[in-house]
């Protein structure tokens, strides 16, 4: 790995941490203001960094597995399933907490798991082209979950409809480090899996037939990555709500700098993805004086034109 890429990645980490200093000036000699910095600003930056890294690595995995530059963590309907689960909890008015975990978090995470198993179950009905069936099943489930989400908003009262709408915009609000601890196991697992199988991922870029001829256990690797990355995205959505386009944009940006070798690509993606979402969140909370823009709106505003660029770019293999 080139030293300049390591330096660049560490610089992104430092810049991400510096984002916690942006905002009203705080007096660190005052215990109350120091607690505000640690539990509100710093925890929010770390949550944004971890979420951005997970979403970006998941997008990298999906683009390799499907050999499609437009694949992203939200293509398979995981985010829609999580959103539907959270909306159902809000509509039912369930406000309980289990071991410090809210009902909305549990609903979102269970919704993500159910969508994963449902979509994978559909892919088992057709033996050939299973990865393409997964992709198309995810797109179909996205439409179904989206329509059910609107139906729940229509049935709910004004307060419930607003809560559902606000949750689906994505938010990185944090008052302590507990959301980061919920994401940490998935963050470490997805990093381990990518770095353990980086050679196999490089070979998969040339297609399944080439990978099979090189002795790669394609089906086993696809299954492991599908479930782990999907569950990791489900955990992020359960904590932060659906934040789109991060997993689509970041891998392409990093690939322009590093090439397609997954060892270097994944390493830089961790830091670039973390910085990207941290920057978008900082932008959203500082653009307006008396209010903040949900981070999901910022990423969507950036992601829409980027998606069109990928769609019509002649340099990308569609």
């Amino acid at each position: 790995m080139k030293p300049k890429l390591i330096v660049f990645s560490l610089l992104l980490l430092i810049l991400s941490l510096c984002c916690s200093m942006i905002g009203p000036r705080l007096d660190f000699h005052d215990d109350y203001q120091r607690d505000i910095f640690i539990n509100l600003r710093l925890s929010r930056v770390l949550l944004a960094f971890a979420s951005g890294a997970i979403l970006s690595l998941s997008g990298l995995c999906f683009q390799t597995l499907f050999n499609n530059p437009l694949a992203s963590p939200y293509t398979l309907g995981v985010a829609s399933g999580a959103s539907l689960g959270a909306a159902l909890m809000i509509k039912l008015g369930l406000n309980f907490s289990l071991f410090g975990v809210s009902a909305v978090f549990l609903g979102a995470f269970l919704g993500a798991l159910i969508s994963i198993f449902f979509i994978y179950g559909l892919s088992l009905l057709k033996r050939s082209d299973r990865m393409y069936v997964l992709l198309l099943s995810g797109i179909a489930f996205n439409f179904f979950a989206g329509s059910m989400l609107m139906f729940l908003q229509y049935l709910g009262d004004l307060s419930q409809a607003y809560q559902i709408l606000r949750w689906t915009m994505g938010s990185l609000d944090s008052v302590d480090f507990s959301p980061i601890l919920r994401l940490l196991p998935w963050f470490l697992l997805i990093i381990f899996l990518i770095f353990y199988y980086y050679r196999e991922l490089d070979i998969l870029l040339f297609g399944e037939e080439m990978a099979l001829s090189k002795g790669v256990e394609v089906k086993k690797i696809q299954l492991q990555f599908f479930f782990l990355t999907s569950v990791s995205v489900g955990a992020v959505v359960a904590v932060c709500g659906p934040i789109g386009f991060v997993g689509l944009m970041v891998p392409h940006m990093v690939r322009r700098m590093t090439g397609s070798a997954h060892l270097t690509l994944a390493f830089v993606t961790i830091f670039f993805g973390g910085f990207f979402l941290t920057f978008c969140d900082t932008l959203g909370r500082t653009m307006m004086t008396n209010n903040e823009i949900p981070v999901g709106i910022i990423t969507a505003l950036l992601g829409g034109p980027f998606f069109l660029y990928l769609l019509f770019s002649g340099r990308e293999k569609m």
Side-chain angles (χ1 to χ4, degrees):
M1 187 182 301
K2 296 180 180 179
K4 63 181 181 180
L5 289 177
I6 298 177
V7 174
F8 174 70
S9 300
L10 294 177
L11 179 62
L12 290 176
L13 176 60
I14 294 172
L15 290 174
S16 299
L17 294 175
C18 288
C19 287
S20 61
M21 305 296 294
I22 299 176
R25 187 175 179 180
L26 296 175
D27 182 9
F28 291 96
H29 297 290
D30 183 87
D31 292 340
Y32 177 72
Q33 295 193 41
R34 188 164 58 246
D35 287 341
I36 290 177
F37 172 77
I38 294 174
N39 293 317
L40 294 180
R41 289 194 188 177
L42 185 60
S43 65
R44 180 167 181 158
V45 164
L46 293 177
L47 177 61
F49 190 90
S51 301
I54 292 174
L55 293 174
S56 301
L57 289 174
S58 300
L60 172 62
C61 293
F62 282 131
Q63 288 167 13
T64 300
L65 292 179
F66 292 102
N67 202 14
N68 189 325
L70 299 182
S72 73
Y74 294 85
T75 304
L76 294 180
V78 180
S80 298
S83 300
L84 183 59
L88 187 60
M89 290 294 183
I90 295 173
K91 175 65 181 70
L92 295 175
L94 299 177
N95 297 314
F96 66 86
S97 178
L98 184 64
F99 301 110
V101 178
S102 68
V104 174
F105 176 90
L106 289 174
F109 194 71
L110 288 175
L113 288 179
I114 292 171
S115 66
I116 292 168
F117 286 105
F118 176 75
I119 294 166
Y120 183 73
L122 288 178
S123 72
L124 295 178
L125 299 177
K126 189 173 183 180
R127 295 182 179 180
S128 60
D129 297 328
R130 183 170 295 174
M131 297 306 291
Y132 290 104
V133 175
L134 273 175
L135 184 63
L136 295 176
S137 299
I139 293 172
F141 186 81
N142 260 323
F143 285 114
F144 169 77
S147 61
M148 290 300 298
L149 194 63
M150 288 188 291
F151 182 62
L152 288 176
Q153 285 182 273
Y154 178 77
L155 291 179
D157 56 32
L158 187 61
S159 175
Q160 291 174 336
Y162 176 78
Q163 288 182 60
I164 294 173
L165 179 63
R166 182 64 182 84
W167 193 87
T168 55
M169 292 180 183
S171 175
L172 291 164
D173 291 337
S174 177
V175 295
D176 54 31
F177 291 88
S178 58
I180 305 166
L181 295 178
R182 293 184 202 134
L183 294 182
L184 186 60
W186 308 108
F187 180 59
L188 297 177
L189 277 173
I190 195 171
I191 289 175
F192 171 78
L193 194 66
I194 291 176
F195 282 99
Y196 186 79
Y197 284 117
Y198 75 91
R199 294 186 182 89
E200 288 80 358
L201 291 174
D202 288 342
I203 298 173
L204 275 172
L205 290 174
F206 297 97
E208 291 187 21
E209 293 183 2
M210 174 65 76
L212 288 170
S213 69
K214 295 293 184 180
V216 177
E217 297 178 283
V218 175
K219 298 300 180 185
K220 174 184 174 182
I221 292 175
Q222 287 178 340
L223 187 62
Q224 288 179 346
F225 273 97
F226 168 70
F227 276 102
L228 180 59
T229 53
S230 297
V231 172
S232 299
V233 171
V236 172
V237 176
V239 171
C240 308
I243 302 173
F245 291 103
V246 177
L248 174 69
M249 292 187 287
V250 172
H252 287 288
M253 295 177 183
V254 177
R255 200 175 283 114
R256 293 276 194 266
M257 298 181 287
T258 66
S260 298
H262 281 81
L263 183 62
T264 304
L265 179 59
F267 178 81
V268 180
T269 296
I270 294 170
F271 295 93
F272 196 93
F275 169 75
F276 178 78
L277 190 57
T278 303
F279 173 78
C280 289
D281 181 56
T282 303
L283 192 65
R285 69 179 174 84
T286 56
M287 281 181 65
M288 300 178 66
T289 306
N290 299 321
N291 205 348
E292 67 176 52
I293 302 173
V295 66
I297 295 178
I298 301 293
T299 58
L301 287 173
L302 297 174
F306 191 86
F307 188 92
L308 291 176
Y309 165 74
L310 288 181
L311 188 62
F312 293 104
S313 174
R315 292 177 293 177
E316 293 290 350
K317 178 185 175 184
M318 301 301 295

